[in-house]
Amino acid sequence: MGSSDEKLSQFFRNTERYHKWAAFLLLVIYLFLNNSINAASDWTELSRDSNNSTALWEPYLWEYSSALATALLVVPLIYFIRKLDTHSFRARTWLLWHFAFASLFSIAHVTLMVAFRELCYLLSDKEYNFGPIANEFFYEYRKDLWGYITLITFYYIIMFSYRRLIGEASVIREHDERVEVNGARGNPSTSGMPDNLLVKKLNREFLVKLSDVYWVEASGNYINLHTSKSTFPLRCTMKHFCESASEKGFIRVHRSFAIQYTFINNIAFEESGDGTAILLDGTEVAISRRYKESLKSRLTPS
């Protein structure tokens, strides 16, 4: 792997906690620019009519209210899409779920958009008229359906590219045989984790030893495997990983975290029962009181 590729991958791994905010900010900027252009185009068309009574601010209100409604709905929409992707569905069922999401998205978008416009028009001497509900909603629904398809397409392309950029891991057998995967959850079908994981980064593949993984972090329908130098996403649930990798020394210490006990430097507990594990590389991993006793039993010699 070239040094420039690794530096870029490392940069993305180091700034991972900011990526969601950056993606949302880019979406807001895109919506603002796109809808500003649409508003300017609408005003140009309206101004050609000698009997035009529309004020200059009105096309911008129409477009910006739509953009604001879209921005507010994107976060819950992505949340439910990520939940959907944790389940195994046939293609037809998967498409039906997305059709349902698109319909709900359109209804919510139109409702918020009209509400914003009505509120703004209350501050002016003009009156807002949405028009015939059936005709206008069908018009907005067609636009929202196409917008939903575009958004989802970009989402899956970006997620695929992002995981390839930082290095996506997959489970393999000892003799470089790929393990079969059960459904969309990506849980390995074997009873235990192998010693090595296959990592695909950009256009290359290499092996990562499971024994080099310090701690594991849940991230949607993926888990992030943290080594001393890199972080690799693996399509697997935290529960299944901890069950499969228990014999490799991994202990679940939190709903979202697991650690390899050989890398523990020290542990400190609070009066509440919660605690913190300090690893050999200085990483601090939260310990939930729910897993306190199981952690102690694993660390106590029999």
Side-chain angles (χ1 to χ4, degrees), residues 27-28 30-36 38-39 42 57-74 105-118 120-121 128 130 139-141 143-145 147:
L27 175 65
V28 170
Y30 165 77
L31 290 173
F32 175 78
L33 293 176
N34 180 72
N35 288 39
S36 295
N38 290 341
D42 292 341
W57 57 268
E58 289 184 90
Y60 288 90
L61 172 60
W62 302 338
E63 293 295 336
Y64 289 159
S65 61
S66 175
L68 178 58
T70 300
L72 292 175
L73 292 171
V74 161
F105 172 81
S106 180
I107 293 172
H109 175 254
V110 173
T111 301
L112 285 174
M113 179 180 68
V114 172
F116 292 149
R117 293 176 183 178
E118 292 284 2
C120 291
Y121 269 88
Y128 177 67
F130 181 64
Y139 169 74
E140 294 293 339
Y141 180 78
K143 292 200 304 182
D144 288 341
L145 185 61

Side-chain angles (χ1 to χ4, degrees), residues 249-253 259-269 276-279 287 291-302:
F250 286 91
I251 308 172
R252 190 166 189 174
V253 296
I259 56 179
Q260 187 170 173
Y261 76 89
T262 56
F263 290 125
I264 297 176
N265 186 16
N266 62 81
I267 299 175
F269 288 103
T276 303
I278 311 297
L279 305 185
I287 301 175
Y291 298 95
K292 178 180 178 180
E293 295 305 320
S294 61
L295 172 61
K296 286 186 173 181
S297 64
R298 285 289 300 277
L299 297 178
T300 302
S302 56

